[in-house]
Amino acid sequence: MVNNRSNAKYIAHEALKTINGLETSKSQSRSHSELKGQNGHAISSKIHSLQSFKQVSNIAEQYTSYLQQEYGKKEIIDNINAETMKDFITRKLENEEISGGTANTYISAMAKLAEGFNRLEIQGGERIQIDREDVTNLRQELKADNHDLHKGYENRAYSVEQINDMRSYMQDTAHLLSFDLQREAGLRVDDATHSDKWTINDDNTITIHGSKNGLDYTTRELPQELINRATEAKESGYQVAYSTYRTELIEAGADKGSHGLRYTYAQERYAELKAEGNTNLEARAQVSQEMGHSRDEITLHYLG
């Protein structure tokens, strides 16, 4: 039984117990299942492969840890739903933690986990109710946002006109600063929405601490006006809920997501450095450093 004092790892463990089918027959489980696959045939609600179980276990712990970090330990249970599942996966895409192809795996795992969470015994008798179809619909939503769920290159940079239109819209929101930091400095969405990661330097750069894979990196020199706003925001403890920021970007016309802002930054900054006389290698290395990339081939992907 779980309650609002249960930590992320324990909740994930209890949910997985309900869908552990390692010692049961898959065909028998299908015969007792009301779930239907895309072809209309019955599918098992349990996991029967050890490899799959390990994979779903890892994703379950990531998801519940994400909820604990975002909402606090006492709010995990109340925030287990299809929307946070989809936000969790989308956020990983935007932060380059998973590829489009891997997002497919995460969606399938979340659909299985939905069954596990629905079966949890919760103190007080209430039940989590997640429609697995709401979770799997994320595939269509990501494709509609121009995410490529297959391997291969996709140029997601925005045009100047698109950027101007988006910024015009974002000026009427509370999150223009995050947009400008992604636009002007190429920050990852998590790095642009959590001021506790920032050290604002005397040379008008910002050092980001604890980015992807725990990496620290320093931006290019930024306009004084942007530095002033970032300094004020940091002093006030600026932090943005990813789901809110993402919704505002979509309403602003960001059909390629916040990640498209990093593509735009990479390509424009590379062209700028080349125009200053840098070689291809020098310009690429500079962009890689400013964007917090650990490998040169990642930057090459952004540049196409």
Side-chain angles (χ1 to χ4, degrees):
M1 181 176 290
V2 298
N3 54 44
N4 62 6
R5 294 187 300 275
S6 302
N7 65 29
K9 190 171 184 178
Y10 179 74
I11 293 170
H13 174 74
E14 290 300 296
L16 287 162
K17 280 168 57 175
T18 71
I19 53 173
N20 185 344
L22 295 179
E23 296 182 4
T24 61
S25 163
K26 188 172 185 178
S27 58
Q28 186 178 18
S29 180
R30 274 200 302 261
S31 67
H32 291 90
S33 174
E34 297 180 357
L35 299 177
K36 303 293 182 182
Q38 291 182 347
N39 58 9
H41 297 158
I43 58 175
S44 173
S45 61
K46 297 191 173 183
I47 304 171
H48 301 274
S49 153
L50 180 59
Q51 181 179 355
S52 294
F53 190 80
K54 288 180 178 178
Q55 186 178 67
V56 176
S57 296
N58 180 29
I59 293 172
E61 289 194 15
Q62 290 179 44
Y63 170 61
T64 51
S65 294
Y66 155 78
L67 291 178
Q68 183 165 310
Q69 180 180 359
E70 286 294 301
Y71 302 102
K73 180 177 176 180
K74 292 184 179 180
E75 302 295 331
I76 297 175
I77 297 297
D78 291 338
N79 286 287
I80 294 175
N81 54 54
E83 287 307 309
T84 58
M85 286 181 164
K86 292 191 287 188
D87 278 344
F88 163 72
I89 296 171
T90 305
R91 189 167 179 167
K92 282 193 165 288
L93 271 172
E94 299 288 1
N95 282 320
E96 309 167 53
E97 295 177 41
I98 59 174
S99 65
T102 303
N104 262 322
T105 301
Y106 271 66
I107 293 168
S108 297
M110 283 299 186
K112 284 286 187 184
L113 280 170
E115 297 301 314
F117 287 126
N118 287 344
R119 296 174 185 175
L120 277 179
E121 290 187 24
I122 302 175
Q123 191 174 46
E126 294 185 9
R127 288 282 181 180
I128 294 169
Q129 295 182 340
I130 306 172
D131 184 341
R132 64 180 285 133
E133 190 172 333
D134 285 346
V135 180
T136 56
N137 281 345
L138 178 59
R139 289 190 176 94
Q140 284 67 47
E141 293 174 24
L142 290 174
K143 289 176 183 177
D145 284 347
N146 284 326
H147 282 282
D148 184 0
L149 301 187
H150 304 283
K151 293 182 178 180
Y153 176 71
E154 176 195 8
N155 184 4
R156 299 180 64 192
Y158 292 110
S159 68
V160 174
E161 292 77 10
Q162 286 176 307
I163 290 290
N164 290 339
D165 287 345
M166 284 188 280
R167 192 177 191 281
S168 178
Y169 180 92
M170 293 299 291
Q171 282 182 323
D172 295 325
T173 74
H175 305 134
L176 176 64
L177 176 60
S178 293
F179 177 88
D180 284 344
L181 286 172
Q182 288 205 279
R183 172 71 185 94
E184 299 286 342
L187 298 189
R188 296 184 175 93
V189 63
D190 265 6
D191 299 341
T193 55
H194 291 80
S195 64
D196 57 351
K197 290 187 169 189
W198 309 343
T199 293
I200 300 173
N201 305 311
D202 293 338
D203 61 355
N204 281 21
T205 62
I206 300 177
T207 298
I208 306 298
H209 302 280
S211 188
K212 181 184 176 184
N213 298 324
L215 184 72
D216 294 351
Y217 66 98
T218 299
T219 68
R220 65 177 298 178
E221 182 179 340
L222 299 172
Q224 186 64 55
E225 182 268 343
L226 182 54
I227 288 292
N228 292 343
R229 288 161 54 207
T231 301
E232 183 178 343
K234 182 170 176 61
E235 289 172 352
S236 64
Y238 178 78
Q239 185 165 317
V240 173
Y242 169 72
S243 57
T244 304
Y245 179 54
R246 178 172 176 264
T247 298
E248 289 178 347
L249 282 176
I250 291 172
E251 291 174 352
D255 59 348
K256 300 172 184 177
S258 69
H259 213 49
L261 297 172
R262 273 171 66 77
Y263 275 75
T264 306
Y265 174 82
Q267 293 176 26
E268 291 188 355
R269 180 63 170 147
Y270 174 79
E272 178 184 328
L273 289 166
K274 283 281 292 172
E276 291 175 359
N278 291 280
T279 66
N280 287 335
L281 202 58
E282 289 169 341
R284 208 164 67 218
Q286 184 67 25
V287 172
S288 183
Q289 179 181 325
E290 292 173 354
M291 294 183 69
H293 285 156
S294 57
R295 302 193 313 277
D296 179 62
E297 57 263 33
I298 299 175
T299 306
L300 275 172
H301 182 78
Y302 278 78
L303 299 175

